[in-house]
Amino acid sequence: MGARVLILGGTAEARALAAALHPAPALSVISSLAGRVADPRLPVGEVRIGGFGGAEGLARWLAEERIHAVVDATHPYAERMRVAAVAAAAAAGVPHLRLERPGWFAGPGDDWHRVTGFAAAVTVLPGLGSRAFLTTGRQRLDAFAGLRDMWFLARVVDEPGPLPANFTVLRGRGPYTVDGERALLDEHRIDVLVTKDSGGPLTVAKLVAARERGIPVLMIDRPAAAAGAAVVTTAEAAAEWVRQSVG
Ligand code: NAP
């Protein structure tokens, strides 16, 4: 069977890593998804779906499944899994690596306002505009629901729960083009963009369109890194680490 590797996934980098390691006769790769999205993009190879039951559950799973190495390639804003992965790998005595794409950087012409967390974003937002394009995902839309004097265009992958009447929901999943994002900003008379610092090329077009239109960007900073994790930023580097870790 060869060495067994767990990729904690849900990102383009995780799928790229699974592809980079596939097929390898001496390696058995299992990608794990949380099961949050109804119709997830699947990586090549074996996939399991659903939580493990915290760090303890994951440590148990790693031991039972005789996993030799773990790559946590979850999203930069998946706060809990990164911490659980470090603890579980340590408890199970399994080498661990974090694969995380770099964040975005503001350049000439950008008007970015960085805040730490959603509560700060809600406080700052009304001072930046009144018609917001919200691209921060379905899970935290409720944070903005109290801003009754603003209008929101909320782009989400899956249908969210009930929202106030000042929200319009747009279903979508990247990659997006600058032409498409520019058209959205114009059509809805957007005057402020709210985004996470997700990084990567798939969803960067909105930032280019905002720059072109002179629209301010409210950028919610990344959560802190998990202590004690070695980090790489590309699937290629992670694949190399896997090969070396499992010999
Ligand atoms: P999270 O807050 O770190 O995780 C919440 C719980 O979901 C974890 O405690 C774990 O449950 C389970 N989980 C998370 N990632 C998992 C994985 N890859 N495999 C199995 N279980 C997983 O994460 P989240 O922000 O809810 O994100 C969930 C998933 O969506 C992740 O896979 C992430 O890569 C992906 N994603 C997140 C975002 C985002 O903005 N947060 C964006 C795009 C994709 P147990 O404690 O039961 O193990």
Side-chain angles (χ1 to χ4, degrees), residues 14 18 21 28 35 47 78 83 87 109 130 135 172 207 210 230 238 240 244:
L21 295 172
S28 152
V47 177
V83 176
S130 58
T135 63
L207 296 170
E240 190 49 41
Q244 286 182 7

Side-chain angles (χ1 to χ4, degrees), residues 33 35-42 157-158 173:
L33 304 178
R36 209 67 89 236
V37 176
D39 177 25
R41 289 197 171 116
L42 294 174
V157 176
D158 285 327
R173 176 143 70 175

Side-chain angles (χ1 to χ4, degrees), residues 4 44 58 71 89-90 94 102 120 128 130 147 150 184 187 192 202 228 230:
R4 287 165 65 71
V44 295
L58 178 54
V71 180
V94 173
L128 295 176
S130 58
L147 296 176
M150 294 195 64
L184 268 184
E187 180 190 345
V192 58
L202 301 184

Side-chain angles (χ1 to χ4, degrees), residues 39-224:
D39 177 25
R41 289 197 171 116
L42 294 174
V44 295
E46 190 180 336
V47 177
R48 66 162 298 288
I49 297 184
F52 296 93
E56 299 77 17
L58 178 54
R60 232 179 358 257
W61 191 93
L62 294 174
E64 283 166 9
E65 295 289 327
R66 299 179 188 285
I67 298 296
H68 295 86
V70 179
V71 180
D72 169 18
T74 55
H75 192 267
Y77 286 76
E79 271 188 89
R80 276 182 286 168
M81 193 36 121
R82 71 181 61 184
V83 176
V86 170
V94 173
H96 165 281
L97 182 74
R98 169 83 177 144
L99 165 57
E100 183 170 305
R101 67 181 88 133
W104 291 311
F105 290 96
D110 283 324
D111 177 18
W112 290 12
H113 303 256
R114 284 191 176 272
V115 290
T116 306
F118 281 79
V122 170
T123 305
V124 171
L125 184 55
L128 295 176
S130 58
R131 296 181 63 83
F133 184 20
L134 271 185
T135 63
T136 47
R138 176 173 52 115
Q139 291 186 58
R140 303 299 300 274
L141 282 180
D142 56 329
F144 299 94
L147 296 176
R148 296 302 171 104
D149 294 336
M150 294 195 64
W151 182 85
F152 292 101
L153 177 67
R155 184 163 63 195
V156 290
V157 176
D158 285 327
E159 196 63 47
L163 288 165
N166 56 332
F167 280 71
T168 292
V169 170
L170 177 68
R171 301 276 301 277
R173 176 143 70 175
Y176 301 104
T177 64
V178 176
D179 283 350
E181 301 291 55
R182 198 189 294 117
L184 268 184
L185 297 183
D186 292 348
E187 180 190 345
H188 296 283
R189 293 179 289 117
I190 299 295
D191 59 10
V192 58
L193 167 67
V194 186
T195 178
K196 296 174 181 172
D197 186 7
S198 295
L202 301 184
T203 58
V204 76
K206 61 191 169 190
L207 296 170
V208 179
R211 181 188 310 143
E212 282 182 11
R213 290 292 186 256
I215 290 173
V217 174
L218 184 55
M219 179 75 71
I220 301 176
D221 272 338
R222 291 181 173 196

